Amino acid sequence: MTRASLDKQPHEVASMFDDVAARYDLTNDVLSLGQTRLWRKEVAKAVRARPAEKVLDLAAGTATSSQPFAATGAYVVPCDFSLGMLREGKKRHPWMPFTAGDATKLPFADGVFDAVTISFGLRNVQDVDQALRELYRVTKPGGRVVICEFSRPTWAPLRTVYTEYLMRALPPAARTVCSNPDAYVYLAESIRAWPDQPALAARLQGAGWSEVAWRNLTGGIVALHRGVRA
């Protein structure tokens, strides 16, 4: 079993997600106390996918996150660099165009997608700024980006409780439902090390995105960042 380190070597991160692919969605539902379903609904609202639009769902894993976009009639490309996740997703959704790809060098032409989105995957990328530039590159002018990622709770007491949960409760809880609980030690550490809402917004702007804004979910445990390609 593989546990990635915070330098986020791509082969380590991909191998770690290969290890947990079969039960990844179930584990996330359990450890988030069911909140992942609410967060996915909010992402779908923010993306506003429409019939015949092309949507890139990066770090899509098994494509659970892609289903709401497909339901609107959009053409959705689930993309991930974990082959284990892609194989598991293909079993569940054989009709979807699963694509293997690295966020820092996406296998798509310039200006292909009307919308690009990534949920809970950006913090696992070794070069976040390059990934944001790549998302910008493959988006059409006027297209949009939506990033859903763990963030910094805005209320200090919640922030304290949440940090304690991440480091003390989450890894033991993961052992009851996950084949590789050490992966969730890494995930807890990566959440703690991730920039807060204004810092991520600044990085989006630095990659070229305009009209950058964010909205907190669950008290800031998760934030939805949005931007537009000029």
Side-chain angles (χ1 to χ4, degrees), residues 2 5 21 30 35 43 48 51 98 106-107 124 128 185 199 211 217:
T2 301
S5 56
V30 170
Q35 290 295 295
V43 170
R48 304 187 319 277
F98 286 89
L106 292 171
N124 299 318
V128 170
V185 176
E211 301 179 36
L217 303 177

Side-chain angles (χ1 to χ4, degrees), residues 19-34:
D19 289 343
V20 300
R23 306 193 74 186
Y24 182 72
D25 295 320
L26 170 63
T27 303
N28 285 347
D29 275 347
V30 170
L31 297 182
S32 72
L33 307 178

Side-chain angles (χ1 to χ4, degrees), residues 40-58:
R40 279 197 294 271
K41 288 179 181 177
E42 294 303 319
V43 170
K45 290 179 189 175
V47 171
R48 304 187 319 277
R50 294 185 285 273
E53 282 194 327
K54 293 178 181 172
V55 177
L56 172 63
D57 187 14
L58 188 57

Side-chain angles (χ1 to χ4, degrees), residues 15 19 52-54 61 65-66 75 81 91 102 105 116 147 154-155 184 186 211:
S15 180
D19 289 343
E53 282 194 327
K54 293 178 181 172
S65 60
S66 306
Y75 178 79
F81 72 163
K91 291 179 193 173
D102 183 335
K105 44 188 179 223
V116 295
I147 296 170
T154 54
W155 187 44
Y184 285 83
Y186 156 79
E211 301 179 36

Side-chain angles (χ1 to χ4, degrees), residues 141-165:
R144 56 213 185 269
V145 64
V146 174
I147 296 170
C148 181
E149 189 53 89
F150 290 108
S151 199
R152 184 178 174 84
T154 54
W155 187 44
L158 174 60
R159 191 157 59 239
T160 300
V161 171
Y162 177 60
T163 302
E164 289 294 309
Y165 169 74

